[in-house]
Amino acid sequence: MKFKKIRIGRKVIKVEVADYFLKKIKGLMFRSSLSKDSGMLFVFDQEGYHSIWMLGMRFSIDIIWIDERKKVVDFVENARPSFNTYIPKEKARYVLEVNSGFVKKNKIKIGSGIKL
Protein backbone atom coordinates (compact mmCIF):
# COMPACT_ATOMS: atom_id res chain seq x y z
CA MET A 1 0.00 0.00 0.00
CA LYS A 2 1.15 3.50 -0.83
CA PHE A 3 0.37 6.34 1.54
CA LYS A 4 0.78 10.04 0.94
CA LYS A 5 -0.05 13.28 2.72
CA ILE A 6 -2.14 15.76 0.77
CA ARG A 7 -3.60 19.17 1.49
CA ILE A 8 -7.19 19.87 0.50
CA GLY A 9 -8.40 23.36 1.28
CA ARG A 10 -6.58 24.08 4.57
CA LYS A 11 -6.62 20.50 5.85
CA VAL A 12 -3.73 18.01 5.60
CA ILE A 13 -4.75 14.35 5.56
CA LYS A 14 -3.04 11.00 5.07
CA VAL A 15 -4.39 9.09 2.07
CA GLU A 16 -4.01 5.59 0.81
CA VAL A 17 -3.31 5.78 -2.93
CA ALA A 18 -5.37 3.60 -5.27
CA ASP A 19 -3.49 3.85 -8.54
CA TYR A 20 -3.81 0.39 -10.05
CA PHE A 21 -6.87 -1.48 -11.33
CA LEU A 22 -7.58 -3.96 -8.49
CA LYS A 23 -7.01 -1.35 -5.78
CA LYS A 24 -9.47 0.98 -7.53
CA ILE A 25 -12.07 -1.79 -7.80
CA LYS A 26 -11.82 -2.74 -4.12
CA GLY A 27 -11.49 0.78 -2.71
CA LEU A 28 -12.84 0.93 0.84
CA MET A 29 -15.09 -2.08 0.32
CA PHE A 30 -15.63 -4.22 3.46
CA ARG A 31 -13.68 -1.92 5.77
CA SER A 32 -15.39 -0.90 8.97
CA SER A 33 -14.08 2.69 9.08
CA LEU A 34 -11.49 5.26 8.09
CA SER A 35 -9.16 6.84 10.64
CA LYS A 36 -9.74 10.50 11.45
CA ASP A 37 -8.00 12.82 8.97
CA SER A 38 -7.40 10.06 6.43
CA GLY A 39 -8.85 8.95 3.12
CA MET A 40 -8.36 7.07 -0.11
CA LEU A 41 -7.17 8.85 -3.26
CA PHE A 42 -8.02 7.23 -6.59
CA VAL A 43 -5.60 8.26 -9.34
CA PHE A 44 -6.66 7.85 -12.97
CA ASP A 45 -4.49 8.09 -16.10
CA GLN A 46 -6.72 10.75 -17.62
CA GLU A 47 -9.70 12.92 -16.84
CA GLY A 48 -13.13 11.36 -17.19
CA TYR A 49 -16.46 10.82 -15.49
CA HIS A 50 -15.03 8.33 -12.98
CA SER A 51 -17.90 6.84 -11.00
CA ILE A 52 -17.81 5.53 -7.44
CA TRP A 53 -20.05 2.71 -6.31
CA MET A 54 -21.03 2.01 -2.73
CA LEU A 55 -21.31 -1.78 -3.00
CA GLY A 56 -19.77 -3.48 0.03
CA MET A 57 -19.35 -0.24 1.97
CA ARG A 58 -19.98 -0.36 5.72
CA PHE A 59 -19.97 3.36 6.53
CA SER A 60 -20.91 6.68 4.95
CA ILE A 61 -18.34 8.83 3.15
CA ASP A 62 -17.92 12.12 1.34
CA ILE A 63 -16.70 11.74 -2.25
CA ILE A 64 -14.67 14.54 -3.85
CA TRP A 65 -13.76 14.71 -7.56
CA ILE A 66 -10.64 16.69 -8.51
CA ASP A 67 -9.49 17.70 -12.00
CA GLU A 68 -6.01 17.76 -13.61
CA ARG A 69 -5.45 21.29 -12.30
CA LYS A 70 -6.00 19.86 -8.80
CA LYS A 71 -9.23 21.77 -8.21
CA VAL A 72 -12.43 20.30 -6.76
CA VAL A 73 -15.01 19.94 -9.55
CA ASP A 74 -17.76 18.06 -7.70
CA PHE A 75 -18.55 16.29 -4.43
CA VAL A 76 -21.18 14.18 -2.74
CA GLU A 77 -21.74 14.44 0.99
CA ASN A 78 -22.82 11.55 3.21
CA ALA A 79 -22.90 8.82 0.53
CA ARG A 80 -24.39 5.89 2.41
CA PRO A 81 -23.72 2.17 1.94
CA SER A 82 -26.05 1.02 -0.84
CA PHE A 83 -26.10 -0.21 -4.43
CA ASN A 84 -25.80 3.42 -5.62
CA THR A 85 -23.20 4.65 -8.07
CA TYR A 86 -22.13 8.30 -7.98
CA ILE A 87 -21.01 10.04 -11.17
CA PRO A 88 -19.46 13.55 -11.16
CA LYS A 89 -20.97 16.46 -13.06
CA GLU A 90 -17.53 17.38 -14.45
CA LYS A 91 -14.55 15.35 -15.64
CA ALA A 92 -11.99 14.52 -12.97
CA ARG A 93 -8.55 12.91 -12.76
CA TYR A 94 -8.65 12.11 -9.02
CA VAL A 95 -11.35 10.95 -6.62
CA LEU A 96 -10.92 11.41 -2.88
CA GLU A 97 -13.00 9.40 -0.40
CA VAL A 98 -13.06 10.73 3.17
CA ASN A 99 -15.20 10.31 6.26
CA SER A 100 -18.74 11.64 6.07
CA GLY A 101 -18.87 15.24 7.29
CA PHE A 102 -15.38 16.12 6.02
CA VAL A 103 -16.64 18.43 3.24
CA LYS A 104 -18.83 20.45 5.58
CA LYS A 105 -16.37 20.53 8.49
CA ASN A 106 -13.48 21.70 6.28
CA LYS A 107 -15.59 24.04 4.11
CA ILE A 108 -14.63 22.30 0.85
CA LYS A 109 -16.21 24.01 -2.16
CA ILE A 110 -16.13 23.68 -5.93
CA GLY A 111 -12.78 25.23 -6.90
CA SER A 112 -11.01 24.36 -3.61
CA GLY A 113 -7.41 23.38 -4.29
CA ILE A 114 -5.55 20.19 -3.50
CA LYS A 115 -1.81 19.79 -3.12
CA LEU A 116 -0.35 16.34 -3.77
Side-chain angles (χ1 to χ4, degrees), residues 44 46-51 65-66 88 90-95:
F44 296 93
Q46 58 189 10
E47 282 192 323
Y49 294 96
H50 303 291
S51 61
W65 285 271
I66 301 154
E90 302 290 333
K91 289 183 179 181
R93 171 97 188 272
Y94 309 93
V95 181

Side-chain angles (χ1 to χ4, degrees), residues 17-28:
V17 179
D19 56 358
Y20 63 91
F21 181 75
L22 290 177
K23 187 71 176 161
K24 290 177 199 173
I25 294 294
K26 186 175 177 193
L28 296 173

Side-chain angles (χ1 to χ4, degrees), residues 13 28 32-40 57 59-64 76-79 96-106:
I13 62 172
L28 296 173
S32 58
S33 65
L34 263 175
S35 301
K36 183 181 177 189
D37 298 332
S38 68
M40 180 170 276
M57 286 294 293
F59 58 98
S60 298
I61 58 173
D62 289 352
I63 306 166
I64 304 167
V76 171
E77 296 180 80
N78 199 32
L96 178 61
E97 294 181 345
V98 289
N99 283 307
S100 185
F102 180 91
V103 167
K104 186 175 187 175
K105 180 181 177 185
N106 294 287

